Amino acid sequence: MHAIVQTDPHNNRALELQKVDVPQLKPGEVLVKIHAAGVNRADLNQAAGNYPPPPGESDIIGLECAGVIADPGDTQRTTGEEVCCLLAGGAYAEYAAVPEGQLLPIPDGYSLTEAAAVVEVACTVWNNLGQIAKISAGQRVLIHGGAGGIGSFAIQLAKAQGCEVAVTAGSAEKLEYCRKLGADMLFNYRQDDWSKELKNSVDTILDVVGGPYLEGNIRALAPEGNLITIAVQGGRKAEVNLGLLMMKRLTIRGTTLRSRPRKDKAAIVASTLEHVWPLLANGSIKNHIHATLPLAEAARAHELLDSGEVSGKLVLEV
Amino acid sequence: MHAIVQTDPHNNRALELQKVDVPQLKPGEVLVKIHAAGVNRADLNQAAGNYPPPPGESDIIGLECAGVIADPGDTQRTTGEEVCCLLAGGAYAEYAAVPEGQLLPIPDGYSLTEAAAVVEVACTVWNNLGQIAKISAGQRVLIHGGAGGIGSFAIQLAKAQGCEVAVTAGSAEKLEYCRKLGADMLFNYRQDDWSKELKNSVDTILDVVGGPYLEGNIRALAPEGNLITIAVQGGRKAEVNLGLLMMKRLTIRGTTLRSRPRKDKAAIVASTLEHVWPLLANGSIKNHIHATLPLAEAARAHELLDSGEVSGKLVLEV
Ligand SMILES: NC(=O)c1ccc[n+]([C@@H]2O[C@H](COP(=O)([O-])OP(=O)(O)OC[C@H]3O[C@@H](n4cnc5c(N)ncnc54)[C@H](OP(=O)(O)O)[C@@H]3O)[C@@H](O)[C@H]2O)c1
Ligand SMILES: NC(=O)c1ccc[n+]([C@@H]2O[C@H](COP(=O)([O-])OP(=O)(O)OC[C@H]3O[C@@H](n4cnc5c(N)ncnc54)[C@H](OP(=O)(O)O)[C@@H]3O)[C@@H](O)[C@H]2O)c1
């Protein structure tokens, strides 16, 4: 088969379509013939050498795809079934070996290309806001990076759960995009003192910035509030005041989806299917596709995402 | 009635028995004629001016007591009923007004004096280990300050839940005391590198030290581990590496029992009654009383607890 191979580990754009072996199925896996693969920020981090695949997983880039089952392996699935898949790696290719628990049906009304771009973000956002923070109607949720792939999905999910949604973003245009997705309170992090304005009022924060936002996040949280950090784009380290954590009875968590055991992923996928797929089918959550490129142009897709000019997802078609 | 009054806010030992008004009952409260009151580290902090009572609560020191109901107020309780009580303040006195949800029966086989000394620690430890961390059989739990009032109760509770228990303490004698209570792994924090020895292996940590232990605690935690900080005796602030929190998928919490709304306290008390009272009755958990003093000698009791020579609880008898 063909797959994207990084030909120079020190050059994050050295991504070329090359011939490689079709992956061997392990017990409980199916072989999926890939129609399209979603591009994620983590893929760029992997190409830059900062985010290696978990041990035992494919070292081909790509965390999500959609296609048809070409070989059901030892599972009860049927050849030809259309599926979309949550992967720990291997989506930038013609075929991927996928644990059965990481297969989802194509959401009603979605094309394969659209489905390829929704799995990773849906599972990440639902796991964190739905399963871990258990957001519920009437709560206030703060989404940092509201205009990003995670952020724009999180805004819509939190609104669909009946929450009041505050967001941060880096420009008026991005904030306007967040407003259209349903965000109620908009903060330009280059100008506004969001932590002061939100002081002691936020039930759950989904953070992608990390260190530089920790103090502000703790300030913004209401008593019993939850901070979930899923990326440290601004830096890893910060000072924390544990006395304040005690007085406000706060919880701080870090999570990653990719490194979780397959059993956990299967549970997350099942819960996402139950709670999020209906919201995709009825249009409560829209997953905007910014552009579709051929698989061979993975490097250009990464360049585009790095430019910061993308609003919505990029998809690579095989 | 008589109660302990701090006659000089700048002198933490200026605790004198004086005449004050019997507390007025608010709706849902009963008046308890106090037989004995437990002494807690937090009482010393309050006398030192570092731990003021929550708004609206008695400013008399004392977080737990046992006695008999002298006036059931508007509740369905009966006069003469023996109870022990979780309080936000007011236990160093002849009478206290207690929200009905914060009353517990005297554990089977306990005297009123023994019951007075078990409520605060039982509710704190159960809430954190049982309700929040949800410790379960086979997990490894690390208890800092294992020889303290909280620690010695936590060791026994975690053992009763089937956990493997690691502890830290400051001397060989204290560690021997922990071992007798059931602790499996003993670390003298003045000599041993507990975080190195426990690296990546602990499911839940109950911490009373705070800042200086944060890095070690994060190191000791296993993937998906829980750190609960209930005191910052070593300092409030520390640097945290959020990237590490993400990679290990850790949770860090701060909690305090005293500042919680009455509704929460009632739920904690009910759960403690259900899960911990049977363990007191059958002797799985023993709450050792170090000494009993008359209420008038509150200052001496505080001095004694401050000496660090107390193993077990001090109780003031009215
Ligand atoms: N832990 C997990 O399980 C998991 C799963 C999926 C994704 N992630 C991570 O989550 C992050 C977001 O993913 P994504 O797909 O949404 O990426 P994305 O579409 O590139 O969006 C990133 C957003 O973060 C904001 N941002 C970046 N650096 C910032 C800084 N220093 N200060 C303030 N805002 C900053 C940007 O806001 P502006 O453009 O408005 O400046 C942008 O909207 C990535 O790091 C990704 O790897 C983690
Ligand atoms: N948040 C809450 O809801 C809540 C509820 C109850 C109690 N607390 C707090 O929890 C703490 C413990 O309560 P307690 O009743 O168990 O008090 P305690 O009986 O005085 O025990 C304190 C223990 O902490 C250890 N310790 C103190 N400073 C330390 C340091 N710098 N490094 C290492 N260990 C240290 C001591 O160990 P060694 O003697 O072995 O050195 C001692 O065993 C207190 O601060 C109390 O106020 C909080």
Side-chain angles (χ1 to χ4, degrees):
Chain A
M1 70 168 187
H2 289 89
I4 293 293
V5 172
Q6 186 164 358
T7 53
D8 175 359
H10 303 293
N11 176 356
N12 64 343
R13 299 289 187 246
L15 304 175
E16 287 177 24
L17 203 61
Q18 294 196 341
K19 276 209 128 169
V20 302
D21 290 339
V22 171
Q24 300 276 340
L25 294 189
K26 292 186 212 113
E29 291 182 345
V30 307
L31 189 70
V32 173
K33 182 168 177 6
I34 297 175
H35 175 84
V39 177
N40 288 285
R41 174 76 40 186
D43 301 342
L44 279 60
N45 297 339
Q46 181 165 341
N50 302 326
Y51 197 49
E57 302 288 356
S58 170
D59 56 6
I60 295 170
I61 293 174
L63 301 176
E64 56 182 349
C65 68
V68 297
I69 294 180
D71 179 351
D74 61 5
T75 75
Q76 300 297 312
R77 300 287 177 147
T78 46
T79 303
E81 187 186 341
E82 290 188 340
V83 288
C84 47
C85 317
L86 179 69
L87 297 171
Y92 287 17
E94 284 184 297
Y95 291 90
V98 188
E100 191 183 4
Q102 290 162 231
L103 299 174
L104 288 133
I106 308 300
D108 279 355
Y110 271 52
S111 68
L112 284 180
T113 299
E114 289 167 332
V118 80
V119 182
E120 159 76 11
V121 65
C123 290
T124 300
V125 172
W126 174 252
N127 177 235
N128 286 295
L129 293 185
Q131 298 183 278
I132 296 175
K134 298 189 177 67
I135 59 168
S136 62
Q139 292 188 333
R140 181 177 284 180
V141 177
L142 169 60
I143 314 282
H144 289 302
I150 293 283
S152 56
F153 198 95
I155 292 169
Q156 298 175 81
L157 181 85
K159 287 308 293 178
Q161 303 298 313
C163 299
E164 184 187 28
V165 176
V167 297
T168 62
S171 72
E173 296 69 43
K174 291 190 179 188
L175 286 171
E176 175 57 17
Y177 176 69
C178 295
R179 198 190 56 73
K180 284 197 180 127
L181 294 173
D184 303 291
M185 304 176 75
L186 311 172
F187 298 98
N188 184 328
Y189 64 76
R190 297 183 206 280
Q191 302 165 1
D192 306 328
D193 191 348
W194 52 269
S195 80
K196 188 175 165 198
E197 311 234 2
L198 293 170
K199 190 173 176 186
N200 293 339
S201 78
V202 177
D203 298 294
T204 292
I205 300 177
L206 187 64
D207 182 35
V208 292
V209 179
Y213 275 18
L214 183 60
E215 189 180 343
N217 282 335
I218 289 174
R219 189 182 194 199
L221 283 174
E224 312 260 334
N226 264 300
L227 165 63
I228 306 185
T229 296
I230 66 164
V232 288
Q233 296 179 101
R236 311 163 79 81
K237 294 190 180 176
E239 189 181 77
V240 62
N241 181 336
L242 294 167
L244 210 48
L245 244 56
M246 276 177 56
M247 280 194 297
K248 294 177 77 172
R249 305 189 300 278
L250 304 181
T251 302
I252 299 182
R253 284 192 186 77
T255 73
T256 47
L257 183 56
R258 191 186 192 187
S259 66
R260 299 191 113 188
R262 288 184 172 195
K263 195 166 65 69
D264 291 12
K265 281 188 186 158
I268 294 167
V269 162
S271 181
T272 303
L273 175 60
E274 181 185 345
H275 293 97
V276 181
W277 257 227
L279 301 174
L280 298 177
N282 73 17
S284 302
I285 301 179
K286 291 182 183 60
N287 197 39
H288 178 62
I289 304 232
H290 181 90
T292 304
L293 293 86
L295 178 58
E297 295 184 25
R300 194 160 71 83
H302 282 201
E303 219 162 85
L304 212 56
L305 186 54
D306 248 350
S307 74
E309 298 306 307
V310 174
S311 64
K313 295 278 293 197
L314 297 172
V315 190
L316 298 170
E317 280 181 336
V318 179
Chain B
M1 69 167 186
H2 289 91
I4 292 293
V5 172
Q6 185 164 359
T7 53
D8 174 359
H10 302 295
N11 176 357
N12 64 343
R13 299 290 187 246
L15 304 175
E16 289 177 23
L17 202 62
Q18 295 197 341
K19 277 209 127 169
V20 302
D21 290 338
V22 171
Q24 300 276 340
L25 295 189
K26 292 187 212 113
E29 291 180 345
V30 308
L31 189 70
V32 172
K33 182 167 176 12
I34 297 175
H35 175 84
V39 177
N40 288 285
R41 174 74 41 186
D43 302 341
L44 279 61
N45 298 338
Q46 182 166 340
N50 302 325
Y51 198 48
E57 302 289 354
S58 170
D59 55 8
I60 295 171
I61 293 174
L63 300 175
E64 56 181 349
C65 68
V68 296
I69 294 181
D71 179 351
D74 61 3
T75 76
Q76 300 297 311
R77 300 286 175 148
T78 47
T79 304
E81 187 186 340
E82 290 189 340
V83 289
C84 48
C85 318
L86 178 70
L87 297 171
Y92 287 16
E94 285 185 296
Y95 291 91
V98 188
E100 190 182 6
Q102 289 161 231
L103 299 175
L104 288 131
I106 308 300
D108 279 356
Y110 271 52
S111 67
L112 284 181
T113 298
E114 289 168 332
V118 78
V119 183
E120 160 75 12
V121 65
C123 290
T124 299
V125 172
W126 175 252
N127 177 234
N128 286 295
L129 294 185
Q131 297 182 281
I132 296 176
K134 298 188 178 67
I135 59 168
S136 62
Q139 292 189 334
R140 181 176 284 180
V141 176
L142 170 60
I143 314 282
H144 289 302
I150 293 284
S152 56
F153 197 95
I155 292 169
Q156 298 176 82
L157 181 86
K159 286 308 293 178
Q161 304 297 311
C163 298
E164 184 187 27
V165 175
V167 297
T168 62
S171 73
E173 296 69 41
K174 292 192 179 190
L175 286 171
E176 176 56 18
Y177 176 70
C178 296
R179 197 191 56 74
K180 285 197 180 128
L181 294 173
D184 303 291
M185 304 176 76
L186 311 172
F187 298 98
N188 183 328
Y189 64 77
R190 297 182 207 280
Q191 302 167 3
D192 306 329
D193 191 348
W194 53 268
S195 80
K196 189 175 166 196
E197 310 235 3
L198 293 169
K199 190 173 176 187
N200 293 338
S201 78
V202 178
D203 298 295
T204 292
I205 301 176
L206 187 63
D207 183 35
V208 292
V209 179
Y213 276 18
L214 182 62
E215 190 179 343
N217 282 335
I218 289 174
R219 190 182 194 200
L221 283 174
E224 311 260 335
N226 265 301
L227 166 63
I228 307 185
T229 296
I230 66 164
V232 288
Q233 296 179 102
R236 313 164 77 80
K237 295 189 178 176
E239 188 180 78
V240 61
N241 180 337
L242 294 167
L244 210 49
L245 244 57
M246 275 178 56
M247 280 195 296
K248 293 177 76 172
R249 304 188 302 279
L250 304 181
T251 302
I252 299 181
R253 283 193 188 77
T255 72
T256 47
L257 182 55
R258 190 185 191 188
S259 66
R260 300 190 111 186
R262 290 183 170 194
K263 195 165 67 66
D264 292 11
K265 282 188 185 157
I268 293 166
V269 162
S271 181
T272 303
L273 174 60
E274 181 185 344
H275 294 97
V276 181
W277 257 227
L279 301 175
L280 298 179
N282 73 17
S284 301
I285 301 179
K286 292 183 182 58
N287 197 39
H288 178 62
I289 304 233
H290 180 90
T292 303
L293 293 84
L295 177 58
E297 294 183 25
R300 196 160 69 85
H302 282 202
E303 220 162 84
L304 211 56
L305 186 55
D306 248 351
S307 73
E309 298 307 308
V310 174
S311 63
K313 294 279 293 199
L314 297 173
V315 190
L316 299 170
E317 280 181 337
V318 179

